[in-house]
Structure formats: C-alpha cells, structure tokens
Amino acid sequence: MTTRSCHLCDSRSGKRYCPALAKRICAACCATKREIEIDCPSDCAYLRQGRSFEFERHDHHVDADLRRFDQRFLYRNAQALTMLAAGIAEARAQHPGIVDIDARAAFEALRATTKTLSSGIYYETQPDGRPIAAALYRSLKRLLDEMRQPPDPNITGLKDEDALEILEFMIATSDFYSGGRPKSRRHMDWLASMLPSRSNEEEGNRLIVP
C-alpha cells in the first residue's frame, strides 16, 4: 500500500500521524515545525520523543542564569513554587490556548511589579497585547499576595525579595525549557510535573542544576 504524501510539504512520505493536524506528516516536518507552526498537544508521542532528545543534548549546556538556583533554593521555596505551578495548571484548564510565552509574559510583569513594590513604590505592570497572559498575571498575583499576607498570623509571609527570586527562577526555567518556540508548552508541562499528583517518571520533570 502506498504511503500518502506529507500534508505539509507534499514531497515526502507522511509516515507520522499528527494529532494536532489530524493528518499524516513526514518526520522532517514533524521535527522542524513542532511547537512552531504546529500546536502540538503535550501527550504526542513524537513531541515527547523530540523533547527527550533535546533535553539530553541541552543537559550539558546549563544557562548561567539557572546555575544559581540550587537544591537549597528549591527546598526553601517548595511550597510557593507548588502553589504557582498549581495556579498555572488551573489557568491551562480554563484557557487551553495558553502557551509558554503567555506564562513568561506574566512572570516578567509580576517581576516588574514586585521590583517596584520592594523599592517602596507601588506601580503595577501588566502584560501588553496578550489577554491570556494578562489573565494569568492577575491570577498569579492574587496567589503571591496571599503568600505575602497569610491568614494565619503565626505563619511568616513571603518576603518581596523571595518573591522576586522565585519569579526570576520561573523566567530562567522558561527560557531553558521552551527553547524559544512560539507554541511551546514544555515549561508549563515541567511545572505541572512538580505537582504532587503528577508522576515523576515524565520526561523533563527535574530541574537541571550544576
């Protein structure tokens, strides 16, 4: 039986079924267009395979911005990171079209707002031109505000400098995991793997530290 040609290039054999397009495409188009032109679902086997390959190759080139976030940082901020990861997971359920770029824009706006807050001047910076990012910003800001002022007076609230470091961690890991792909959700998938209900066997579920 003759294999149909690739739905995208129409020049090579379409040997892979693409769940995003519901069409058969070739391996070359799958590799070069995934998360760029193709809005890949996170459970696609070919996407996971590609991520695994890139992850192993990237393992030896840890970004300098990421090196300062060691295991002590993760242990100290585990609860705050889990709460933010849960907030992002909730946003994904409400906005299926959300991508890593939206989350990064929200983190950047939160960092800018937190910087002014820590200096004694309150000026709120919100993401420009990305409605989903703006919605995520408001949601995560509420979480951070709750962490700063917990209802239990016996619990120490999150300090501005700690919140700023956490947001810088989110931005650094977004750059590391997303790879600049406009339709990537790899960073959000990794954050979801930090939640207790998720399996730790999923690819990319650990932070690479020196």
Side-chain angles (χ1 to χ4, degrees):
M1 183 175 65
T2 303
T3 304
R4 294 180 182 178
S5 60
C6 172
H7 172 71
L8 296 176
C9 69
D10 200 30
S11 60
R12 291 177 289 266
S13 296
K15 296 183 178 180
R16 295 184 177 183
Y17 178 78
C18 175
L21 302 174
K23 302 286 185 179
R24 301 196 72 83
I25 62 175
C26 66
C29 284
C30 177
T32 58
K33 299 179 187 296
R34 68 168 65 112
E35 297 182 313
I36 298 175
E37 296 179 25
I38 304 173
D39 192 3
C40 308
S42 296
D43 59 355
C44 174
Y46 295 113
L47 175 65
R48 291 191 175 192
Q49 184 180 27
R51 284 179 175 180
S52 179
F53 174 76
E54 293 174 358
F55 187 80
E56 292 302 324
R57 185 176 59 182
H58 200 173
D59 195 352
H60 304 291
H61 303 282
V62 180
D63 191 277
D65 290 339
L66 202 54
R67 291 185 182 275
R68 64 191 180 94
F69 299 108
D70 55 15
Q71 296 299 328
R72 289 174 297 179
F73 166 83
L74 294 176
Y75 179 79
R76 187 173 68 251
N77 297 291
Q79 183 176 5
L81 291 170
T82 300
M83 290 179 67
L84 289 177
I88 293 169
E90 183 177 345
R92 291 184 72 177
Q94 296 174 352
H95 306 282
I98 191 171
V99 292
D100 285 343
I101 292 176
D102 294 313
R104 194 186 192 286
F107 297 143
E108 288 180 334
L110 286 165
R111 179 177 64 176
T113 299
T114 303
K115 280 185 176 180
T116 60
L117 187 63
S118 62
S119 66
I121 303 172
Y122 181 75
Y123 178 80
E124 189 169 3
T125 302
Q126 296 198 28
D128 293 328
R130 302 191 71 89
I132 293 180
L136 179 59
Y137 167 88
R138 292 189 293 270
S139 177
L140 296 183
K141 185 177 182 299
R142 284 194 295 269
L143 283 176
L144 288 173
D145 289 343
E146 291 173 4
M147 285 186 252
R148 287 191 183 96
Q149 297 180 333
D152 188 343
N154 297 317
I155 298 177
T156 303
L158 182 69
K159 297 180 180 179
D160 290 338
E161 55 266 30
D162 293 331
L164 186 59
E165 189 178 20
I166 289 170
L167 292 168
E168 289 174 348
F169 166 80
M170 290 294 195
I171 292 171
T173 51
S174 178
D175 292 341
F176 180 81
Y177 282 103
S178 294
R181 290 187 171 94
K183 298 182 183 297
S184 172
R185 294 182 178 87
R186 185 179 181 187
H187 182 232
M188 292 190 295
D189 288 342
W190 175 77
L191 288 173
S193 74
M194 297 174 66
L195 297 174
S197 61
R198 289 292 297 266
S199 170
N200 290 329
E201 296 178 357
E202 183 176 346
E203 173 272 322
N205 67 347
R206 61 187 177 91
L207 169 67
I208 296 185
V209 294

